[in-house]
Amino acid sequence: MYLQIVETKKSRILNIVKSFRKEGGGTSSTIVEKLGNIEDIKKRENCSDPIAWAKSRVEELNKMEREKKQTVMLSLSPAALIPIDKPRVKCAGDLLLRKYYHRLGIDTICAGMAKRGKFQFNIDAIMQKLVYSRLLHRGSKLATYNGLGSYLDKSPFELEDVYRSLAVMSRESAYIQAGLYANSTKSVERDTSVVYYDCTNYFFEIEEADGFRKYGVSKEHRPNPIVQLGLFMDRDGLPLSFCINPGNTAETQTMTPLEDTMERDFGVSCFIVCTDAGLASAENRMANSKNGRGYITAASIKKMKEFMQEWALQQDGWRLITRKGDSEELRHRVFRLEEVKKEEWLDRVFYRERWTNEAGFDERVIVTYSYKYDLFAKKTRDRQLERAQKAIEKGGAKRGKSPNDPARFIKEEHVTQDGEVAQIKSMGIDADRVEYEEKYDGFYCLLTSLQEKDFHARHILAHNAYRYQVEALFRVTKTDLKARPVYLQVEERIKGHFITCVIALMILRIIQIDIDKLNKVEKRDGEKGKPEGHYSITEIRNTLEAMNLVQCKDGNFLPAYDRTQLTDCINTLQGYRTDTEVIPKSRIRKMLRDVKKG
């Protein structure tokens, strides 16, 4: 195999090519691996000389080709027992994680912390294992320490050092976040023109609150003390900045201090903030309408003043959010709502907008209507009414805390027609409540400081549509990374735990982006379903966890996982194959040595 350099007008494209002899005589060649153009390789492999890197890759593949012609004989006995208390199953998934750990410069951040602090333990080695374990094993800190034997390298630290390192990470949180952002911009495209902010909480399995773990509003309605995580995400779905607060902290008070931190430590000051209604206090909106910033936030029509509600729900004056290919007539047509409640408009969105000064400053109000969302809301409420009717037949139901609790439709009467106290209460469906909710079906409202001349309503809606990704990142931390329940007690250690969780989340998300690039995944606006070649974060994490090796008594390794298209992508990204029939111990040593070199 050899390196092929294709010259184009804009760049140079590198391929690895293999020559072969044709059956009828003569020779030909085929591309074994498309490495991409020079600039892509620089960013992807974090190297200054892409051609030198490509040549080393060719050398590696040639070596593997030679190894293919070799055979390894294993001498095994059915009577011999395997060694006791000696881990034989090793993680191979962390080989890719190591590459991204160094690509994001987390080792240099740890070196900086070691220089700034006065401690003797190896915080880089501890950080690595805490991040890898959060992605692969998802256990406690004690479980992480007890499972160090499953990794291919040795870790020179003790259990006490793990807890000490968490306290250091907490104190150096701003330094870690600033370094992580600066390093990530060198290897990953980061669009901070629009940022998304949201908060979530994580529970502790304890009975009483303390100084940091507080009782607060739990989204799962758990009766446990919680802590709160506030997270900014950029336009590419990557974590940007975060804060960890006591569970009783008001969400609206957490956003602007974190924005100031981003401006001071990241140099990110001009952006559009997208939030949900719970974070959209008047103070936050006013703060984000100055100094080159803007905001887009959801709002409740039900909480608007009466004249604004009447305007929002009017039948006349609706325009279509147009798409590419729509006619000029559609672009300028004004609709009535009764016209669009048809199948032909099922997947389209209509809007109306105006400016208001109800909050004490000017802001733009955009109200949308979707017939599809209208039908969905009615179908959902019909199911809730069925459950409410069944509860009535069984004697009633206690009203829960959720705003979607079917019991809200149950109306109880405890007096007779003469106004006397009734001996028996009567229950039925509250028709007034049903009618009240029905009039809001299909409607959605946004508030923004952005001007029409710069941002059409469709642009506002497009930016807001990505807000769900913040909640998706939170779900990843809770389900895929199992960041809860938290078993730590000391505040600094709790904060250190969430720092490792956010780092693990960033690594996993970048791997997902790179796999999409490798498979040339493109999803157009409005396209439904999963794009071909796209893998979810859950699929990637589960695959990395399952990529194990079994160490033989001669020191060589056997893959203990099934080869799939996703494992092929992972092996391509890490630059080493761990899916050959046998993996020589020399190759494993070279993998670890190359990763340490970055």
Side-chain angles (χ1 to χ4, degrees):
M1 282 176 275
Y2 60 91
L3 180 65
Q4 178 190 67
I5 302 177
V6 181
E7 298 283 349
T8 66
K9 292 182 179 179
K10 295 183 179 180
S11 182
R12 286 181 290 175
I13 298 174
L14 307 185
N15 298 316
I16 297 178
V17 178
K18 180 180 181 181
S19 299
F20 63 92
R21 189 171 294 278
K22 296 188 289 188
E23 291 183 2
T27 60
S28 186
S29 62
T30 183
I31 296 176
V32 176
E33 194 171 312
K34 295 180 179 180
L35 302 178
N37 63 51
I38 295 287
E39 297 303 320
D40 286 345
I41 295 173
K42 278 184 181 180
K43 290 182 179 180
R44 189 177 70 237
E45 304 300 332
N46 194 23
C47 61
S48 57
D49 189 348
I51 294 179
W53 176 87
K55 289 180 178 178
S56 66
R57 177 65 179 152
V58 171
E59 184 181 345
E60 177 68 23
L61 291 179
N62 282 328
K63 184 178 179 181
M64 290 174 63
E65 187 74 16
R66 291 191 295 270
E67 288 176 350
K68 280 184 181 179
K69 299 177 182 179
Q70 300 175 354
T71 56
V72 176
M73 302 297 294
L74 295 177
S75 177
L76 304 174
S77 169
L81 298 177
I82 60 176
I84 190 170
D85 293 333
K86 183 178 180 181
R88 297 170 61 246
V89 179
K90 304 289 185 179
C91 300
D94 72 308
L95 288 170
L96 180 63
L97 302 181
R98 291 168 191 264
K99 176 176 179 177
Y100 283 82
Y101 180 92
H102 290 280
R103 175 176 162 183
L104 288 173
I106 303 173
D107 54 334
T108 60
I109 295 173
C110 290
M113 287 192 290
K115 188 179 293 185
R116 291 154 61 95
K118 296 180 180 179
F119 48 86
Q120 300 300 318
F121 51 85
N122 188 338
I123 193 169
D124 179 34
I126 296 171
M127 176 75 87
Q128 286 192 51
K129 293 305 185 288
L130 289 178
V131 171
Y132 302 160
S133 175
R134 186 51 47 197
L135 287 162
L136 300 175
H137 306 304
R138 306 177 294 176
S140 65
K141 304 300 174 282
L142 177 60
T144 298
Y145 180 77
N146 291 335
L148 292 177
S150 65
Y151 292 96
L152 291 166
D153 61 343
K154 295 181 179 180
S155 303
F157 57 84
E158 301 297 329
L159 178 60
E160 293 78 7
D161 296 336
V162 175
Y163 296 109
R164 294 189 187 107
S165 68
L166 291 174
V168 174
M169 294 175 201
S170 173
R171 293 193 296 269
E172 298 284 2
S173 176
Y175 176 75
I176 293 172
Q177 293 187 52
L180 199 61
Y181 173 75
N183 294 342
S184 66
T185 55
K186 298 174 184 177
S187 58
V188 184
E189 292 182 4
R190 304 206 63 170
D191 183 356
T192 57
S193 60
V194 182
V195 296
Y196 301 83
Y197 184 72
D198 204 353
C199 293
T200 192
N201 48 57
Y202 300 83
F203 68 89
F204 295 75
E205 292 188 336
I206 56 176
E207 299 299 327
E208 294 184 5
D210 57 22
F212 189 64
R213 301 173 292 180
K214 297 285 189 180
Y215 291 110
V217 180
S218 172
K219 295 179 180 178
E220 296 89 11
H221 308 296
R222 293 178 180 271
N224 307 88
I226 58 176
V227 298
Q228 179 194 93
L229 173 67
L231 176 70
F232 266 109
M233 179 193 80
D234 67 15
R235 189 72 168 76
D236 298 301
L238 292 171
L240 188 59
S241 182
F242 58 91
C243 59
I244 303 103
N245 304 301
N248 62 353
T249 306
E251 290 184 348
T252 53
Q253 298 175 5
T254 62
M255 185 169 69
T256 50
L258 204 53
E259 290 176 352
D260 295 338
T261 300
M262 288 196 299
E263 182 174 2
R264 182 184 65 249
D265 297 342
F266 295 11
V268 177
S269 58
C270 296
F271 46 76
I272 300 168
V273 183
C274 288
T275 67
D276 62 17
L279 289 155
S281 65
E283 292 79 8
N284 286 346
R285 302 204 308 271
M286 183 180 292
N288 283 313
S289 59
K290 304 174 183 176
N291 303 321
R293 298 182 188 176
Y295 67 83
I296 302 170
T297 183
S300 172
I301 299 177
K302 297 177 183 178
K303 295 180 181 179
M304 288 180 172
K305 292 186 177 180
E306 186 176 350
F307 80 94
M308 285 296 294
Q309 286 193 28
E310 292 177 358
W311 168 82
L313 304 179
Q314 271 184 356
Q315 290 290 312
D316 297 318
W318 292 88
R319 293 184 178 276
L320 178 68
I321 296 291
T322 56
R323 299 174 182 169
K324 186 177 181 180
D326 284 340
S327 65
E328 282 298 316
E329 180 187 357
L330 277 180
R331 294 178 187 276
H332 296 93
R333 183 176 169 186
V334 180
F335 295 80
R336 283 181 56 83
L337 283 186
E338 60 187 24
E339 297 180 69
V340 304
K341 294 183 178 182
K342 300 176 182 177
E343 287 293 321
E344 62 181 295
W345 303 111
L346 188 63
D347 292 322
R348 304 303 294 266
V349 177
F350 298 83
Y351 77 98
R352 60 186 300 127
E353 61 181 327
R354 61 169 290 177
W355 284 82
T356 182
N357 192 264
E358 293 304 307
F361 52 91
D362 292 336
E363 58 184 347
R364 184 176 165 197
V365 186
I366 300 174
V367 178
T368 66
Y369 174 81
S370 165
Y371 183 46
K372 185 176 184 179
Y373 179 48
D374 189 337
L375 296 177
F376 173 77
K378 284 180 170 57
K379 185 177 180 181
T380 301
R381 187 170 48 256
D382 287 343
R383 290 198 296 263
Q384 293 172 346
L385 288 170
E386 289 177 7
R387 291 165 59 193
Q389 186 60 48
K390 289 180 181 178
I392 291 172
E393 294 170 0
K394 293 179 180 180
K398 184 179 179 182
R399 178 70 185 272
K401 296 181 180 180
S402 171
N404 296 317
D405 191 335
R408 74 187 186 277
F409 293 120
I410 299 177
K411 183 179 180 180
E412 295 184 5
E413 293 183 353
H414 295 267
V415 296
T416 65
Q417 291 182 352
D418 299 326
E420 299 175 358
V421 177
Q423 297 296 322
I424 301 174
K425 66 180 181 181
S426 64
M427 291 182 293
I429 297 296
D430 189 344
D432 292 338
R433 180 61 185 260
V434 175
E435 183 181 359
Y436 170 75
E437 292 195 9
E438 191 172 36
K439 72 178 183 179
Y440 297 104
D441 289 349
F443 294 94
Y444 185 72
C445 182
L446 292 173
L447 302 177
T448 181
S449 61
L450 305 177
Q451 302 286 331
E452 299 98 317
K453 62 180 181 179
D454 300 317
F455 295 90
H456 189 274
R458 65 173 173 272
H459 301 139
I460 305 295
L461 294 173
H463 288 322
N464 183 68
Y466 282 91
R467 187 164 52 82
Y468 79 94
Q469 290 195 14
V470 183
E471 296 178 357
L473 291 182
F474 286 148
R475 284 196 296 273
V476 169
T477 64
K478 294 177 180 181
T479 58
D480 296 288
L481 304 185
K482 294 197 180 299
R484 61 172 190 180
V486 187
Y487 299 103
L488 300 165
Q489 300 178 17
V490 181
E491 177 181 341
E492 287 187 330
R493 294 178 180 178
I494 293 170
K495 290 183 176 180
H497 163 74
F498 284 107
I499 288 171
T500 61
C501 290
V502 174
I503 292 174
L505 178 64
M506 175 171 277
I507 289 175
L508 197 53
R509 177 72 183 111
I510 295 175
I511 290 174
Q512 184 188 36
I513 291 172
D514 282 354
I515 289 177
D516 280 351
K517 288 181 179 178
L518 191 67
N519 293 330
K520 295 181 173 60
V521 172
E522 293 183 4
K523 187 170 183 178
R524 297 180 295 274
D525 291 341
E527 184 179 347
K528 298 180 181 179
K530 173 183 171 182
E532 185 179 355
H534 174 77
Y535 295 95
S536 69
I537 279 182
T538 301
E539 290 174 311
I540 295 170
R541 198 218 64 81
N542 290 345
T543 301
L544 289 170
E545 181 183 20
M547 291 180 70
N548 292 323
L549 307 176
V550 176
Q551 189 169 17
C552 304
K553 63 181 181 181
D554 62 356
N556 294 320
F557 293 83
L558 301 177
Y561 64 90
D562 297 328
R563 183 186 170 197
T564 64
Q565 291 183 345
L566 181 52
T567 62
D568 280 356
C569 291
I570 290 171
N571 281 309
T572 299
L573 286 180
Q574 68 190 14
Y576 301 101
R577 306 294 309 196
T578 59
D579 53 0
T580 54
E581 291 183 349
V582 63
I583 307 167
K585 55 187 176 183
S586 60
R587 189 192 301 174
I588 294 293
R589 285 198 296 267
K590 185 178 188 309
M591 290 178 187
L592 296 175
R593 191 166 57 246
D594 288 350
V595 167
K596 288 180 180 179
K597 293 177 182 177

